[in-house]
């Protein structure tokens, strides 16, 4: 098959051309992507936790074999467990801080959304009333000048 034949749309025996189907169809994401700082903290936590698990396995295997490395590995595993716990807490704190700085998560049951909606409606009503008062004042001033 020639290169040009591969690039062109598929043809049937009758001469009609059928357009090629795309390789994949993009579907919208079900969940929103995590913010960058939270995702960074989560990746860091996963890496630290996986290294801690590997270290604990090495400590266990060294203990089983009776190696001199068992005790130092046990001590470093305990330290790594503390660091892994700290990193998981860091993900949680980073997520809370991000939510606090960038507003609440807007979900239909969010009370903040309802409060914002009520405040907007009150501001809209106040602006409409102010425009109406200004219009009445202008009309009243112009009727006084005619008399």
């Amino acid at each position: 098959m020639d290169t040009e034949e591969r690039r062109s749309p598929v043809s049937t025996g009758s001469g009609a051309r059928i357009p090629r189907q795309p390789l994949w169809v993009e579907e919208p994401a079900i969940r929103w992507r995590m913010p960058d700082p939270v995702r960074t903290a989560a990746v860091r936590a996963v890496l630290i936790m996986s290294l801690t698990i590997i270290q604990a396995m090495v400590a266990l295997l060294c203990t089983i074999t009776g190696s001199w490395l068992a005790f130092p590995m046990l001590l470093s595993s305990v330290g790594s467990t503390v660091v892994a716990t700290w990193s998981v807490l860091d993900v949680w704190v980073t997520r809370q801080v991000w939510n606090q700085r960038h507003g609440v998560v807007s979900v239909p049951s969010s009370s903040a959304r309802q409060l914002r909606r009520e405040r907007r409606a009150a501001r809209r009503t106040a602006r409409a009333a102010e425009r109406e008062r200004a219009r009445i004042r202008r009309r009243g001033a112009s009727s006084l000048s005619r008399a």
Side-chain angles (χ1 to χ4, degrees):
M1 178 181 266
D2 191 24
T3 306
E4 287 302 315
E5 288 175 340
R6 277 184 270 145
R7 286 187 185 153
S8 65
V10 179
S11 62
T12 60
S14 63
R17 296 198 151 188
I18 301 170
R20 283 195 170 175
Q21 295 291 324
L23 291 176
W24 64 85
V25 178
E26 290 196 25
E27 297 177 1
I30 296 172
R31 288 175 32 155
W32 291 100
R33 185 175 162 171
M34 275 193 286
D36 286 337
V38 179
R39 191 171 54 251
T40 304
V43 168
R44 190 182 319 121
V46 166
L47 290 175
I48 291 171
M49 287 179 60
S50 63
L51 288 175
T52 302
I53 292 171
I54 291 169
Q55 207 170 14
M57 275 306 296
V58 169
L60 177 70
L61 293 174
C62 286
T63 303
I64 291 173
T65 59
S67 173
W68 64 271
L69 200 56
F71 186 67
M73 286 302 294
L74 180 68
L75 290 178
S76 64
S77 293
V78 170
S80 293
T81 304
V82 171
V83 172
T85 305
W86 189 267
S87 68
V88 170
L89 283 174
D90 179 49
V91 174
W92 183 69
V93 168
T94 306
R95 183 174 172 271
Q96 295 299 325
V97 167
W98 195 91
N99 282 340
Q100 214 170 29
R101 286 186 183 161
H102 297 90
V104 297
V105 178
S106 186
V107 292
S109 63
S110 173
S111 59
R113 176 187 271 186
Q114 183 63 31
L115 290 173
R116 282 195 309 262
R117 190 175 291 141
E118 289 169 4
R119 274 183 280 179
R120 269 196 307 261
R123 279 194 306 254
R124 208 174 295 126
T125 306
R127 279 195 306 260
E130 184 59 37
R131 279 195 304 268
E132 185 66 26
R133 273 188 250 122
R135 191 174 60 86
I136 290 172
R137 269 188 251 131
R138 282 193 308 260
R139 192 182 316 157
S142 63
S143 65
L144 290 176
S145 63
R146 287 186 210 156

